[in-house]
């Protein structure tokens, strides 16, 4: 358990920010790193050729450490968005006519849309698995896997309400039928340890601006070693072997070879001088806290929220199936349509996602007082 960490963020008194799944606030140290980074671009003579590579390698190493499970910097590519990472996966996982892709209904479009498009192209079927009444997505997924399944693209938890998916079990079953697994860890990595060695995903990616506490437009893609000879979706100079030597960039013959490991999947302008130092500062803080400690600290707040919410007649995914950092509060007669706006008027911030839940996602800057304020405000909207 961590003590409250609000002093490390710039959150004014009176603001109850319970919406990390939308976008995290920046740590003060991340803001400072960004300000230094922007100022550096004013003096490009201070940016050396080595700088194009050194910070990126540091970010890869930190992300690999956070992911754990034996991942190393060479397994990590830099991506601008989850949709980009998903497009890399789509381009590298075999899919043919008659096969199927398993997806969860109401999942985030950056997961769904690339696979729907790819399935259309080859005559495969993109299946949207229906939401189970009892929140047991794992059972629904296991029941759907068969010999036609080529790939499943899944999160560790549903982004609308935090309902968990047992990825180690699902991965084992997918391996039995020879299917691939792509994981969107955007809403889990940074707040929950990831069992990489058990899951062995083909690809795993996370946008960086939520639970990784980083800037917008910089995320990470883990690529299993078995795909590290795969096909990039764009051809930029920096993924080419020898790109460190700026004097011979137009030696196109040599440049046919790509840099080792997952680096071949890096987005162009990978070095991203403004944002990379921010991502690094954020990952360093997460590693200092420890991901498990972050999750357990938040769990105290989400457990208290669910208990208090039950007293006013609101339901949530049962504790055994709910992620530690995530609650979707269900209203028996539906979420009042203007609830987020009414809460925002009191400077309390949460989101409505999917069809039926108020999504409440605290972090280590929140305290029990924020939960009290939220419950009080919901009570007054409903009375
Ligand atoms: C589950 C999930 N995946 C991914 C994203 C972000 O996707 P992208 O980086 O493609 O905008 C979000 C944003 O809300 C999300 O909730």
């Amino acid at each position: 358990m961590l003590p409250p960490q609000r002093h490390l963020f710039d959150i004014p008194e009176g603001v109850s920010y319970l919406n990390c799944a939308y976008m995290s606030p920046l740590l003060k140290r991340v803001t400072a790193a960004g300000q230094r980074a922007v100022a550096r671009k004013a003096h490009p003579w201070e940016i050396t050729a080595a700088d194009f590579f050194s910070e990126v390698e540091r970010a890869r190493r930190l992300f690999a450490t956070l992911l754990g499970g034996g991942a190393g910097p060479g397994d990590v590519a830099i991506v601008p968005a989850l949709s980009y990472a998903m497009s890399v996966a789509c381009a590298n996982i075999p899919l043919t006519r008659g096969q199927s892709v398993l997806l969860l209904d109401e999942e985030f479009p950056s997961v769904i849309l690339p696979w729907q498009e790819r399935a259309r192209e080859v005559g495969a079927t993109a299946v949207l698995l229906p939401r189970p009444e009892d929140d047991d997505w794992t059972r629904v997924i296991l029941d759907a896997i068969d010999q036609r399944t080529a790939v499943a693209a899944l999160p560790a938890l549903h982004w609308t309400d935090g309902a968990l998916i047992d990825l180690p079990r699902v991965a084992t079953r997918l391996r039995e039928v020879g299917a691939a697994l792509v994981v969107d860890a955007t809403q889990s990595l940074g707040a929950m340890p990831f069992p990489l060695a058990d899951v062995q995903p083909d690809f795993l990616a996370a946008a960086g601006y939520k639970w990784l506490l980083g800037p917008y437009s910089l995320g990470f893609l883990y690529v299993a070693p078995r795909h590290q000879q795969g096909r990039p979706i764009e051809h930029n100079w920096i993924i080419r072997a020898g790109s460190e030597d700026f004097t011979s960039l137009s030696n196109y013959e040599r440049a046919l070879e790509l840099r080792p490991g997952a680096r071949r999947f890096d987005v162009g302008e990978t070095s991203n001088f403004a944002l990379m130092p921010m991502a690094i500062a954020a990952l360093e803080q997460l590693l200092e806290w420890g991901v498990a400690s972050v999750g357990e600290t938040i769990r105290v707040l989400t457990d208290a929220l669910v208990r208090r919410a039950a007293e006013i007649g609101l339901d949530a995914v049962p504790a055994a199936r709910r992620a530690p950092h995530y609650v979707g509060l269900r209203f028996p007669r539906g979420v009042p349509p203007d609830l987020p706006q009414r809460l925002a008027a009191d400077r309390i911030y949460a989101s409505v996602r999917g069809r039926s839940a108020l999504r409440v996602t605290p972090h280590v800057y929140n305290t029990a007082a924020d939960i009290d304020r939220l419950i009080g405000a919901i009570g007054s909207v409903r009375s």
Side-chain angles (χ1 to χ4, degrees), residues 232-320:
I233 57 169
E234 60 159 313
H235 293 276
N236 64 67
W237 64 270
I238 209 162
I239 64 172
R240 299 283 154 176
S243 56
E244 297 87 349
D245 177 7
F246 287 11
T247 61
S248 62
L249 289 181
S250 51
N251 178 349
Y252 304 126
E253 281 307 308
R254 195 189 66 188
L256 287 174
E257 203 184 312
L258 299 179
R259 298 184 72 219
R263 295 174 184 87
R264 67 176 51 210
F265 299 112
D266 283 345
V267 66
E269 300 196 8
T270 322
S271 317
N272 205 332
F273 296 108
L275 303 186
M276 200 60 72
M278 300 172 72
I280 288 171
L283 289 169
E284 284 174 344
Q285 179 66 75
L286 282 170
L287 290 170
E288 281 168 33
W289 284 326
V291 168
S293 304
V294 169
E296 289 315 308
T297 302
I298 304 172
R299 188 196 294 276
V300 174
L301 298 173
T302 54
D303 282 353
L305 171 63
V306 171
R307 256 193 326 272
R308 299 281 306 281
E311 289 164 12
I312 56 169
L314 307 184
D315 202 8
V317 175

Side-chain angles (χ1 to χ4, degrees), residues 21-22 80-84 107-108 110-111 155 157 159 184 186-187 207 209-210 216 326 353 359:
Y22 163 66
L82 193 281
S83 54
Y84 186 100
E107 249 311 314
F108 195 75
S110 295
V111 180
L157 55 101
W159 76 301
D184 173 9
T186 299
Q187 295 290 13
Y209 65 95
K210 300 174 189 281
Y216 196 69
Y326 225 98
R353 292 292 182 271
R359 186 183 68 181

Side-chain angles (χ1 to χ4, degrees), residues 27 34-35 45 82 90 100 104 107 123 143-144 205 262 272 305 311 314 339 348 353 359:
L27 286 147
Q35 283 162 343
W45 50 90
L82 193 281
C90 281
S100 63
L104 305 189
E107 249 311 314
D143 286 351
N272 205 332
L305 171 63
E311 289 164 12
L314 307 184
L339 182 60
I348 301 168
R353 292 292 182 271
R359 186 183 68 181

Side-chain angles (χ1 to χ4, degrees), residues 160-173:
T160 57
D161 59 10
L164 287 168
I165 288 103
D166 186 341
L167 286 179
R169 272 182 74 198
V170 168
T172 302
R173 180 75 191 116

Side-chain angles (χ1 to χ4, degrees), residues 11-25:
I11 304 174
E13 186 103 358
V15 169
S16 289
Y17 190 70
L18 294 161
N19 212 2
C20 192
Y22 163 66
M23 182 180 284
S24 74

